[in-house]
Amino acid sequence: QVQLVESGGGLVQPGGSLRLSCAVSGITFSLVAVGWHRQAPGKQRELVATISSGGSTQYLDSVKGRFTISRDNAKNTGYLQMNSLNAEDTAVYYCYVMGNWGQGTQVTVSS
């Protein structure tokens, strides 16, 4: 079955950076799109970024220019590089592939 394992979350000060990773198994990774979603307390889950199998990317407006989604097909891993983080980025971040969700990783931006 498809498994997604996220890592890289944590506590960071405003203006800081984090890189999230999503290791994928059980599927031909190079053929699928990867998405990152997030859910803040009391809010609905929202789509943050996607990358297609061909490498095309899309971003939530509020993260454009700060976040970069990428993939390494040789490692079956997707990434989300997050720069210039602010308090509004605090959320649990989830990787999504072909109807499957990772367990989520907490990102907290606080001084």
Side-chain angles (χ1 to χ4, degrees):
Q1 71 275 20
V2 180
Q3 290 190 322
L4 286 68
V5 179
E6 296 131 341
S7 60
L11 173 64
V12 64
Q13 292 187 339
S17 299
L18 285 174
R19 188 177 80 155
L20 306 183
S21 299
C22 175
V24 180
S25 61
I27 198 169
T28 304
F29 181 75
S30 61
L31 299 182
V32 299
V34 178
W36 285 95
H37 298 243
R38 67 185 181 187
Q39 187 164 20
K43 295 186 177 181
Q44 289 188 326
R45 192 172 296 191
E46 63 180 356
L47 177 61
V48 176
T50 61
I51 184 166
S52 71
S53 57
S56 298
T57 58
Q58 292 187 315
Y59 297 93
L60 181 69
D61 283 347
S62 62
V63 308
K64 285 180 180 177
R66 300 189 299 122
F67 289 13
T68 302
I69 190 170
S70 63
R71 62 191 299 152
D72 185 337
N73 291 337
K75 295 182 178 180
N76 289 351
T77 301
Y79 302 98
L80 185 67
Q81 176 68 42
M82 305 186 294
N83 300 328
S84 302
L85 286 161
N86 57 59
E88 288 68 42
D89 297 317
T90 295
V92 178
Y93 284 71
Y94 298 90
C95 181
Y96 177 86
V97 174
M98 288 290 289
N100 298 276
W101 294 93
Q103 82 282 4
T105 185
Q106 177 70 47
V107 171
T108 302
V109 184
S110 175
S111 56

